[in-house]
Amino acid sequence: DADGVGLLSSALAECAAELARRRSAARVRLVQVSEDRVEVLLSEPLLPTPAGWVPEASGSAWVRQRDEVPPRDVTPTNPLLVAVGRQDGCELYLDLESEGIVSIVGDAAAGADLARSILIELATSPLADGVAVTSTSEALVDATYERIRSVATWDDVADDAVSWAQQTRELLAANRWSTPAAGRAAGCRPDDLAPLVVVVDEVPGDERFADLCAALGESVVPVVVLSVGTAIEGSTIIDVGAGELCIPSIGLTCAAQGVSPDAAEAVGRLVAGYDDVPAQLSLIEPPPEDETPPADPRAPGPYVDPLC
């Protein structure tokens, strides 16, 4: 939804710019979009709101009328914002970067469908441009996407994830940016805070993994651990089952987003065949060939008046 991506990019850019200006540690956790409003739930109350926004829940939520969000071509400040479900006709988005460590638990099939949806969104959405995903689970997404790399084990990504978390934390501290979103709003080069998402289906018994989780618990950096099927201690839990999901730390229950394996395969074929689509599609059938028999060359031609 190109219009939806533009709306989210513009609205969140305003919020990130205001948080950066105040050097606030508050961060966007959840976004709810309805036909009329954009509601942004912060990690802590903050007043006053930016111009054009109104506070709700004592400043824990910033709200703006949807048709008042100015259309702007901006670099996304929250590239790890992903759809998680719907409630009362509203679309709900969770910022994975804000959470740091996320565990999807509950019904195995429904949890896999949600994780699959998240990965396909990160792999294809313009909002997630620049995101890199490394997954140890090949069962979630079979198609090859440019932004997704499959590895055999945690060992194949451990050093990169730990190093990137350390480097970006030092960059944020050096510039006094409280969050990666604030750094992006301040004009940081996109590659300097490019997000990395590490997907695991079991908790590695490794000191590097424990160190990474400890670092993600202390500060927000552009590295996220997404666990599918196993709960990681201290993580944001998403409990999925019976068509619903619950995020207890936010107090959210809604209809769960999900992509089935068959749907994922169809999307993969569509993406893989994109380069084969001709530049000009023939949407109108060509006119039928003229079935009039050719003229007999021996037949006399039309009469021509010699005085003309």
Side-chain angles (χ1 to χ4, degrees):
D1 182 355
D3 292 336
V5 168
L7 175 73
L8 288 169
S9 294
S10 184
L12 292 174
E14 287 189 337
C15 294
E18 183 65 16
L19 294 173
R21 185 185 67 81
R22 300 186 194 185
R23 297 193 181 278
S24 171
R27 61 192 190 278
V28 173
R29 297 191 69 187
L30 189 75
V31 179
Q32 179 171 290
V33 179
S34 68
E35 292 183 358
D36 303 319
R37 312 196 317 166
V38 178
E39 305 173 43
V40 174
L41 178 67
L42 301 177
S43 59
E44 60 187 67
L46 193 63
L47 293 171
T49 57
W53 294 76
V54 296
E56 289 189 0
S58 302
S60 294
W62 290 357
V63 180
R64 183 156 194 182
Q65 293 300 306
R66 179 171 179 156
D67 59 4
E68 294 180 358
V69 177
R72 294 181 298 174
D73 185 14
V74 295
T75 299
T77 56
N78 300 71
L80 294 185
L81 191 77
V82 294
V84 292
R86 293 179 65 84
Q87 182 182 51
D88 299 329
C90 300
E91 299 171 2
L92 296 163
Y93 301 86
L94 180 71
D95 191 337
L96 299 178
E97 186 175 71
S98 177
E99 305 306 311
I101 312 171
V102 178
S103 299
I104 300 176
V105 299
D107 180 78
D113 286 352
L114 173 62
R116 195 176 293 111
S117 171
I118 289 173
L119 294 186
I120 292 176
E121 187 169 1
L122 293 177
T124 59
S125 171
L127 193 67
D129 188 28
V131 171
V133 179
T134 301
S135 176
T136 62
S137 176
E138 296 182 356
L140 291 176
V141 178
D142 295 330
T144 300
Y145 293 93
E146 200 172 291
R147 301 176 194 169
I148 298 181
R149 177 171 69 106
S150 294
V151 296
T153 66
W154 154 253
D155 287 336
D156 297 321
V157 69
D159 291 337
D160 290 342
V162 172
S163 297
W164 190 237
Q166 177 64 30
Q167 292 175 32
T168 52
R169 183 167 56 248
E170 293 174 354
L171 176 65
L172 292 168
N175 290 277
R176 299 178 61 196
W177 295 326
S178 54
T179 64
R184 297 180 190 112
C188 176
R189 292 180 303 177
D191 289 348
D192 289 343
L193 291 173
L196 170 64
V197 179
V198 180
V199 183
V200 297
D201 50 15
E202 59 183 22
V203 179
D206 181 285
E207 288 187 2
R208 292 170 297 178
F209 188 79
D211 291 342
L212 176 62
C213 290
L216 298 182
E218 294 172 357
S219 59
V220 180
V221 296
V223 178
V224 169
V225 172
L226 177 63
S227 175
V228 183
T230 304
I232 300 174
E233 185 177 357
S235 65
T236 296
I237 299 294
I238 303 180
D239 193 351
V240 189
E244 288 189 341
L245 67 77
C246 176
I247 306 179
S249 62
I250 300 179
L252 172 68
T253 300
C254 66
Q257 171 77 6
V259 172
S260 68
D262 289 343
E265 184 179 354
V267 173
R269 290 197 303 269
L270 180 65
V271 172
Y274 177 79
D275 292 337
D276 297 330
V277 177
Q280 179 65 44
L281 296 177
S282 297
L283 301 181
I284 302 177
E285 294 184 4
E289 295 182 4
D290 187 2
E291 297 180 357
T292 303
D296 186 348
R298 295 171 298 177
Y303 172 76
V304 179
D305 190 337
L307 300 179
C308 292

